[in-house]
Amino acid sequence: MNKTPSQSESRAMLKWLNHNRQQLKQYARQYVAYNASGIIANSENLREVLQLAEASGELFSIYLVPGFTASYQFRLHRNDIEETAVPCPYRD
């Protein structure tokens, strides 16, 4: 099946992806074929995922799940910023 998703279908798939980030952690470093209903196929082999997803006959997108997720918190003091500030040559 070679069909481009409509704008509303793309939004629905993206919404599913964003709402299921925690679930996707178990597929780290794998390709995941998914749609608004859920995961269709997964594997470290992209060709395999494509074959399985196309065989399903469903509309899908593919996402490569990162091997890690992280968040950073920066704490800067005003003095640190002023001491290390570098003038920007593109500033008016």
Side-chain angles (χ1 to χ4, degrees):
M1 175 178 198
N2 252 345
K3 182 184 173 214
T4 302
S6 69
Q7 191 172 10
S8 64
E9 290 168 326
S10 292
R11 266 193 304 253
M13 286 191 273
L14 187 57
K15 185 176 180 179
W16 183 90
L17 185 69
N18 287 326
H19 280 81
N20 291 280
R21 293 274 181 201
Q22 292 299 318
Q23 177 188 346
L24 290 171
K25 286 182 180 181
Q26 65 183 309
Y27 301 103
R29 293 175 295 283
Q30 292 186 40
Y31 296 95
V32 174
Y34 71 97
N35 61 24
S37 299
I39 294 173
I40 298 167
N42 66 285
S43 174
E44 291 180 4
N45 184 307
L46 177 57
R47 189 167 286 149
E48 181 181 344
V49 172
L50 281 168
Q51 289 172 345
L52 291 168
E54 287 175 350
S56 75
E58 296 185 51
L59 188 64
F60 65 90
S61 286
I62 292 185
Y63 176 65
L64 175 58
V65 181
F68 67 93
T69 56
S71 61
Y72 297 94
Q73 182 177 19
F74 295 96
R75 292 182 184 212
L76 299 173
H77 296 284
R78 187 175 212 30
N79 292 339
D80 295 337
I81 295 170
E82 290 173 357
E83 289 175 12
T84 59
V86 176
C88 178
Y90 301 105
R91 190 180 235 176
D92 290 4

